[in-house]
Amino acid sequence: MLTLLVGGFFGDEGKGKVAAYVVLAKKYKYAVRTGAINAGHTVVYRGERFRLRTIPAGFVNKEALLAIPPGALVKIDVFFEEVSKLGVDGRVLVDYRTGIIEEAHVERERGDQVLASIGSTFQGVGAAMSDRVLRRLRLARDFSELHKYLCDVPELLNNALDNGEKVFIEGTQGTFLSLYHGTYPYVTSRDTSAAGILSEVGIGPKRVNEIILVFKAYVTRVGEGPLNGELSYEDAVKLGWVERGTVTGRPRRVAPFNYELAKRAVMLNSATQVAITKLDALFPETRGVKSWDYLSPRAKQWVEEVESRLKVPVTLIGTGEEVEDIIDRTRDVGVEL
Ligand code: IMP
Ligand code: MG
């Protein structure tokens, strides 16, 4: 069983929470995270808050093996800091070909005018990606301190699927930050779509069972670039929709849920399921609700509208920060996870 998790808007849809829930509740054996350290995923589990830039959010399932694939980019200090903070040494695997971001990449981006104009996070990710394209990036296999973690991740995961095991791949950022499908040049340095995620991991498209597209109940964007229906900071504060970036601490720009973008994201990713996060930001009375039956009529109606307009079942609904603050409709809707 192979499940992919993809961001539907501009990142920060709450992928960390959804990934953690699914890997834990559905007992996935492998949790894989694509992308790089510019993407921060937050997991709040049993009162503790974790900010992840490298390790998959599925780490909360202590039985899960955690894999970093060839197409991901890792920075060694960030990697070791996370491994020790989360206590996951012994179940983390890094592919031989995973790219390594070095200080020189961060230096090279500093002061860059184009990157400043798009609102880059300046984490050295674009510089490292460009080195990879120019065939001069050093890979995980070139760093002795990583040797004990190294493994052939595509082989491991394809074999696991052959053996009927469950693999969960957590994409980073969102569809409209994709280098190809996003609002270029206001995009990140990789293809964040479902196909790009698979390519980063080394698993073919025919092996995918489920593609969960995650939308927040409203849209946020950090950095520059178009944002239709953008609200003023004051209105965002009134609605309680102001957030700050996990990596940069910048305030996020906000807009109401956008059906046009959502439909396009469904198309670009061939989504089979939709997860909605932060329903409680639209309907405060839904906070902490864990069953569909206890949702208010107006909240149900809103979710049903999403479902009917996108023509994809809404299977998971976040109602609070905690991993377990979620309504799981998979059984009711008749889909497997
Ligand atoms: P860069 O990829 O770090 O250079 O950033 C390029 C653009 O993508 C900027 O607008 C960033 O704010 C945005 N971006 C990159 N990573 C994330 C993320 O994880 N969440 C939200 N926005 C991101
Ligand atoms: Mg984030």
Side-chain angles (χ1 to χ4, degrees), residues 41-296:
H41 287 184
T42 303
V43 173
V44 182
Y45 185 56
R46 309 224 156 129
E48 232 184 309
R49 180 180 298 268
F50 303 94
R51 290 187 181 82
L52 309 160
R53 298 169 65 194
T54 300
I55 302 298
F59 86 91
V60 294
N61 175 352
K62 292 199 164 58
E63 307 296 318
L65 291 173
L66 312 170
I68 316 290
L73 289 168
V74 163
K75 192 153 177 281
I76 291 186
D77 55 343
V78 177
F79 173 79
F80 280 108
E81 197 190 308
E82 267 179 37
V83 166
S84 85
K85 203 184 284 173
L86 305 175
V88 294
D89 206 357
R91 58 187 180 106
V92 180
L93 304 157
V94 179
D95 190 84
Y96 294 99
R97 310 159 201 85
T98 300
I100 302 298
I101 300 172
E102 299 189 60
E103 265 336 301
H105 297 114
V106 181
E107 298 284 313
R108 209 193 301 159
E109 289 190 350
R110 199 168 287 151
D112 184 284
Q113 290 301 306
V114 172
L115 290 182
S117 74
I118 65 156
S120 172
T121 62
F122 287 108
Q123 297 297 306
V125 181
M129 278 305 279
S130 70
D131 271 3
R132 187 148 197 168
V133 173
L134 295 169
R135 273 69 42 90
R136 64 199 61 177
L137 185 69
R138 295 206 287 167
L139 306 182
R141 66 184 181 214
D142 302 318
F143 291 80
S144 57
E145 58 270 54
L146 290 178
H147 277 181
K148 73 167 200 181
Y149 302 96
L150 296 184
C151 143
D152 185 332
V153 168
E155 185 170 276
L156 177 81
L157 298 177
N158 280 283
N159 285 342
L161 292 171
D162 288 343
N163 294 331
E165 280 169 332
K166 298 177 83 169
V167 176
F168 187 89
I169 305 177
E170 172 185 342
T172 45
Q173 297 140 335
T175 300
F176 299 102
L177 288 178
S178 165
L179 187 57
Y180 306 139
H181 308 294
T183 53
Y184 188 89
Y186 304 98
V187 294
T188 192
S189 49
R190 52 184 288 267
D191 177 16
T192 54
S193 73
I197 290 168
L198 281 176
S199 147
E200 281 187 28
V201 176
I203 300 181
K206 288 185 80 170
R207 302 213 77 154
V208 181
N209 298 95
E210 294 294 331
I211 300 176
I212 309 173
L213 190 58
V214 188
F215 297 116
K216 193 154 54 185
Y218 51 96
V219 184
T220 59
R221 171 159 211 173
V222 269
E224 302 305 316
L227 180 62
N228 281 349
E230 184 168 1
L231 303 176
S232 69
Y233 183 76
E234 294 69 39
D235 285 345
V237 171
K238 261 184 238 153
L239 289 164
W241 293 358
V242 173
E243 307 171 0
R244 277 180 188 277
T246 312
V247 174
T248 56
R250 294 178 289 184
R252 294 178 181 149
R253 300 156 60 200
V254 294
F257 191 88
N258 184 323
Y259 277 102
E260 212 180 308
L261 288 180
K263 278 185 191 160
R264 188 164 176 86
V266 166
M267 174 188 83
L268 290 168
N269 296 295
S270 62
T272 63
Q273 306 185 25
V274 162
I276 301 281
T277 59
K278 291 210 168 184
L279 189 69
D280 55 305
L282 294 190
F283 308 107
E285 74 279 8
T286 65
R287 173 148 270 247
V289 170
K290 294 184 175 68
S291 152
W292 175 257
D293 298 337
Y294 294 129
L295 275 187
S296 58

